């Protein structure tokens, strides 16, 4: 039978002044999820932060908050447009809930066997690549064989060379795009690189009668025609602009923002390629897809100091819609 000596206890000792102050600071932050400003800390914790030298108190609070950060507490400073830092509330940011599906090894093994017991299709291949991207060892051996193309026309895999030659010769080509079964005839004008690894073909789609962007790896060239271009399109800067703010989902509108100085560099990087101008501390953004702005502020809400009320309402609706969708997962 186990004795008390088998489970030694942590030695209990009296907390020193610094430990008492840190615990008090932490418990007050946990009690006030909306945050506590420096001035309020001085009122509720006068024993520690209400000396005659206010600057000394402010430095002490900064040191204590950094000490809590080093212990793993995600402490943030909310920005509401005030000019004095004394009114900026400090708060503990709640960690986001991981709503992704979790599978045990046994579940993945069972799932892989069930999937590949049925007829293997392109859709199953795509699904398997997503499910087992980090667990390739769990896929049955037979699943690693390529999909049989027996009885089908074999497609030449030298697509990029054919596309580049068509651009050079200004000749149309017939393609299959992605998993589409219907062939398209396009007139490729230019190969464009987005970011560092993504390549697109800017081409005139004869069936759509307009310029379209095609992801290069998804193109399969079925036929190299000898037909010259029917179209005579002039490539504009908008055609080469891949910024999400330039996607045409509504008429162009101007939206003003005030961004906290600490986040201006990241804000300007986000806007690179979009239309905007700076007037004093205001950014006037021209966009045909205002929802693309949500991405930045979802990740960095503290960067936003001030914006138009109607845009803020649409942003709040966006967050509530996503919250509702996550609750359904």
């Amino acid at each position: 039978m186990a004795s008390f000596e088998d489970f030694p206890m942590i030695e209990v000792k009296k907390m020193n002044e610094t430990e008492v102050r840190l615990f008090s600071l932490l418990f007050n932050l946990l009690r006030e999820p909306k945050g506590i400003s420096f001035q309020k800390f001085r009122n509720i914790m006068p024993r520690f932060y209400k000396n005659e030298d206010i600057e000394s108190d402010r430095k002490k609070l900064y040191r204590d908050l950094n000490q809590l950060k080093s212990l793993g507490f995600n402490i943030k400073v909310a920005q509401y447009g005030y000019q004095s830092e004394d009114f900026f509330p400090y708060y503990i940011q709640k960690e986001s809930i991981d709503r992704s599906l979790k599978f045990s090894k046994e579940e993945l093994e069972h799932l892989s066997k069930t999937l590949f017991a049925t007829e293997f299709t392109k859709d199953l291949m795509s699904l398997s690549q997503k499910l087992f991207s980090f667990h390739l060892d769990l896929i049955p051996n037979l699943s690693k064989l390529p999909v049989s193309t027996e009885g089908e026309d074999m497609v030449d895999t030298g697509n990029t060379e054919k596309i580049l030659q068509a651009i050079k010769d200004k000749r149309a080509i017939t393609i299959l795009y992605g998993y589409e079964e219907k062939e398209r005839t396009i007139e490729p004008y230019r190969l464009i690189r987005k970011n560092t690894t993504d390549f697109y073909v800017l081409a005139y789609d004869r069936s759509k009668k307009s310029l379209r962007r095609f992801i290069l790896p998804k193109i399969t060239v079925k036929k190299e025609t000898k037909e010259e271009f029917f179209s005579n399109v002039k490539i504009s800067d908008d055609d080469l602009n891949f910024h999400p703010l330039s996607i045409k989902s509504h008429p162009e509108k101007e939206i003003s923002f005030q961004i906290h100085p600490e986040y201006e560099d990241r804000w300007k990087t986000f806007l690179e390629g979009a239309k905007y101008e700076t007037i004093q501390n205001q950014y006037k953004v021209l966009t045909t897809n205002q929802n693309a702005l949500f991405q930045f502020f979802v990740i960095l809400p503290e960067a936003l100091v001030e914006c138009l009320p109607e845009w803020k309402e649409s942003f709040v609706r966006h967050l509530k819609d996503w919250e509702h969708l996550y609750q359904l997962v």
Side-chain angles (χ1 to χ4, degrees):
M1 184 175 180
S3 64
F4 177 79
E5 287 75 14
D6 294 325
F7 301 96
M9 302 294 290
I10 297 174
E11 182 182 355
V12 178
K13 60 181 180 179
K14 185 178 180 180
M15 288 194 297
N16 59 37
E17 184 74 2
T18 300
E19 292 170 332
V20 171
R21 187 173 71 249
L22 289 175
F23 269 101
S24 300
L25 181 62
L26 176 60
F27 290 147
N28 277 296
L29 286 169
L30 291 171
R31 189 176 61 180
E32 296 289 344
K34 292 183 178 180
I36 306 173
S37 68
F38 169 64
Q39 292 289 3
K40 189 173 180 180
F41 270 125
R42 298 194 80 209
N43 292 331
I44 64 177
M45 299 177 64
R47 173 183 167 187
F48 305 112
Y49 303 115
K50 202 156 188 180
N51 299 315
E52 292 182 2
D53 187 350
I54 189 171
E55 290 301 321
S56 175
D57 284 342
R58 184 179 285 111
K59 291 178 182 178
K60 185 195 295 184
L61 178 62
Y62 285 170
R63 287 196 301 269
D64 290 344
L65 290 171
N66 285 328
Q67 180 68 23
L68 290 177
K69 283 184 180 181
S70 69
L71 295 173
F73 297 98
N74 194 4
I75 297 172
K76 298 288 185 180
V77 182
Q79 310 290 350
Y80 298 121
Y82 295 110
Q83 299 302 312
S84 171
E85 65 175 3
D86 293 346
F87 296 95
F88 289 177
Y90 298 95
Y91 65 98
I92 296 181
Q93 187 176 47
K94 294 181 180 178
E95 299 299 329
S96 59
I97 300 174
D98 185 2
R99 296 180 182 273
S100 59
L101 294 175
K102 303 291 185 182
F103 294 99
S104 67
K105 182 178 179 180
E106 290 74 18
E107 289 172 329
L108 282 172
E109 286 178 338
H110 177 75
L111 187 58
S112 66
K113 292 176 182 177
T114 303
L115 278 174
F116 293 101
T118 61
E119 182 182 356
F120 197 56
T121 64
K122 291 180 178 178
D123 290 336
L124 269 181
M125 177 184 284
S126 176
L127 176 62
S128 302
Q129 288 172 338
K130 293 178 175 68
L131 282 175
F132 304 106
S133 58
F134 297 104
H135 304 279
L136 296 178
D137 57 311
L138 299 180
I139 302 180
N141 291 331
L142 290 176
S143 70
K144 297 179 182 179
L145 297 175
V147 180
S148 174
T149 56
E150 187 177 347
E152 298 180 2
D153 294 333
M154 298 300 292
V155 179
D156 189 354
T157 57
N159 296 298
T160 303
E161 293 181 9
K162 294 177 181 179
I163 293 169
L164 291 174
Q165 190 64 45
I167 293 173
K168 180 181 177 181
D169 297 340
K170 292 188 176 181
R171 302 285 182 181
I173 54 176
T174 301
I175 67 168
L176 284 176
Y177 190 58
Y179 289 143
E180 294 179 0
E181 296 181 359
K182 186 177 180 180
E183 294 183 354
R184 303 190 192 194
T185 300
I186 64 171
E187 301 172 4
Y189 275 86
R190 191 173 298 184
L191 189 65
I192 306 169
R193 185 171 72 174
K194 177 188 176 186
N195 301 325
T196 56
T197 56
D198 300 330
F199 283 87
Y200 290 77
V201 177
L202 184 62
Y204 181 82
D205 188 331
R206 288 182 177 177
S207 61
K208 303 292 184 181
K209 296 182 179 180
S210 63
L211 274 176
R212 296 297 172 105
R213 296 165 180 163
F214 298 89
I215 301 172
L216 181 61
K218 293 177 67 176
I219 298 175
T220 301
V221 179
K222 295 289 291 184
K223 182 181 178 182
E224 297 175 271
T225 73
K226 301 298 182 181
E227 298 175 0
E228 296 183 356
F229 287 2
F230 293 168
S231 62
N232 185 20
V233 179
K234 291 185 178 179
I235 307 299
S236 67
D237 290 339
D238 288 339
D239 295 323
L240 302 176
N241 188 354
F242 282 78
H243 200 289
L245 289 173
S246 301
I247 296 174
K248 291 180 172 55
S249 60
H250 56 69
E252 187 174 71
K253 61 173 61 177
E254 180 183 281
I255 309 174
S256 296
F257 297 93
Q258 184 180 345
I259 304 297
H260 189 272
E262 291 183 9
Y263 299 94
E264 282 193 282
D265 288 342
R266 295 170 75 173
W267 171 246
K268 289 177 181 177
T269 300
F270 171 75
L271 291 180
E272 188 174 351
K275 299 178 182 177
Y276 74 96
E277 59 180 6
T278 306
I279 301 177
Q280 293 180 350
N281 61 347
Q282 292 285 331
Y283 288 83
K284 292 188 177 181
V285 180
L286 295 172
T287 177
T288 53
N289 182 28
Q290 67 167 347
N291 289 3
L293 290 159
F294 297 157
Q295 172 190 350
F296 181 84
F297 294 110
V298 166
I299 298 172
L300 293 171
E302 59 268 33
L304 181 62
V305 176
E306 188 178 345
C307 66
L308 296 174
E310 54 266 30
W311 187 87
K312 185 176 181 181
E313 289 175 6
S314 64
F315 181 46
V316 171
R317 286 197 301 270
H318 172 79
L319 294 177
K320 288 182 178 179
D321 290 343
W322 275 103
E323 183 181 9
H324 175 68
L325 289 174
Y326 274 116
Q327 288 173 351
L328 296 178
V329 175

